Amino acid sequence: MRPLPFTTLRIENGEPWFWEEHVERLRATAAVLALPLPTPQKLYASLPRVVGGSLRVRITLQPDGTPHTDVEIYEPPEEPWTLKPVPVDSDRDVVRFKTTARGLYEAAADTLDGQQDALLVHHEGHLLETCIANVFFLLDGIWVTPPESRALLPGIARARILERCETAREGDLTESEARAAEACCVSNAVLGVHPVGSIEGWSDYASPDLARQLMDDLRINL
């Protein structure tokens, strides 16, 4: 089946988070896949019309460029996540665009045993991302996330954090650095920032307050 571009966003009290970035990514992915490009106006018209509450909205572009929208109530997770390290042999060309070709992520998610997400670890030893989020580790007062040059999807919230948070940067990360980190969190355009309490078999983290500070920095710039 032909892969199709999609994006998942959060609508909070009628306002879509990171809307311009979602539009740009959808259109850029459609161009790579040689699909018709929907106009920003057409994409915006596909959003649900709400005034209050939190929604999780997924927009998938069909082969003719028409946006198909799925909507559900969004309830933010309350507890810090547990991640499970999962080795992968990932191809950057496969994962750098957000499409419905998600076999790599689905296979990793199938290995979970009570953990909230999988931490993908390249066979060469560097850390990548989770199945649905980017990951940040706090090392010596700096939030470090694996670089875009690796085989990962550079998320929208990740980009905003790197652009506007002075204590965040890209850098290669390994298991030993993850074990030494003071805190860990995940980010995506729906969660914003969410703390990680532990990585199975690696380390436990005192993440909630530190991740909340990073989320506060991000919220200022939504």
Side-chain angles (χ1 to χ4, degrees):
M1 183 178 295
R2 184 179 186 180
L4 298 172
F6 80 94
T7 195
T8 306
L9 63 133
R10 180 167 163 183
I11 296 181
E12 195 72 22
N13 295 320
E15 293 294 327
W17 283 12
F18 310 113
W19 177 243
E20 292 182 358
E21 290 94 332
H22 283 289
V23 171
E24 180 180 355
R25 183 167 69 181
L26 271 174
R27 285 170 53 83
T29 306
V32 168
L33 297 177
L35 297 178
L37 302 186
T39 65
Q41 295 80 6
K42 188 173 184 179
L43 290 170
Y44 191 79
S46 72
L47 295 178
R49 297 294 176 257
V50 294
V51 175
S54 299
L55 297 178
R56 180 182 181 272
V57 179
R58 173 168 164 155
I59 303 174
T60 306
L61 296 186
Q62 302 305 298
D64 63 357
T66 301
H68 173 80
T69 303
D70 296 293
V71 182
E72 61 184 34
I73 300 296
Y74 175 67
E75 297 182 2
E78 296 182 359
E79 299 297 326
W81 280 7
T82 298
L83 303 181
K84 177 182 179 179
V86 177
V88 296
D89 186 2
S90 180
D91 181 349
R92 173 161 165 73
D93 287 339
V94 172
V95 301
R96 64 194 177 105
F97 296 105
K98 194 173 183 72
T99 77
T100 53
R102 293 189 54 82
L104 171 76
Y105 302 108
E106 291 167 358
D110 284 344
T111 71
L112 298 179
D113 184 21
Q115 302 88 2
Q116 279 80 11
D117 205 348
L119 174 61
L120 307 186
V121 183
H122 195 272
H123 67 85
E124 295 176 349
H126 49 263
L127 310 186
L128 299 174
E129 58 184 333
T130 79
C131 294
I132 63 170
N134 293 113
V135 63
F136 285 80
F137 290 89
L138 188 63
L139 294 162
D140 298 323
I142 301 295
W143 287 103
V144 183
T145 189
E148 186 174 340
S149 58
R150 293 298 185 185
L152 55 84
L153 177 70
I156 287 172
R158 172 190 179 278
R160 187 70 68 90
I161 291 168
L162 289 172
E163 177 187 355
R164 303 189 182 182
C165 296
E166 295 181 355
T167 59
R169 66 170 179 83
E170 287 187 324
D172 277 321
L173 290 161
T174 62
E175 176 184 341
S176 62
E177 288 161 319
R179 287 178 178 272
E182 179 182 356
C184 176
C185 66
V186 291
S187 72
N188 67 29
V190 175
L191 286 167
V193 177
H194 190 74
V196 172
S198 65
I199 298 178
E200 194 77 20
W202 285 14
S203 189
D204 295 328
Y205 303 104
S207 298
D209 289 342
L210 293 165
R212 193 174 298 114
Q213 292 174 16
L214 187 60
M215 182 61 182
D216 288 343
D217 290 341
L218 180 61
R219 278 185 183 277
I220 293 170
N221 298 300
L222 281 174

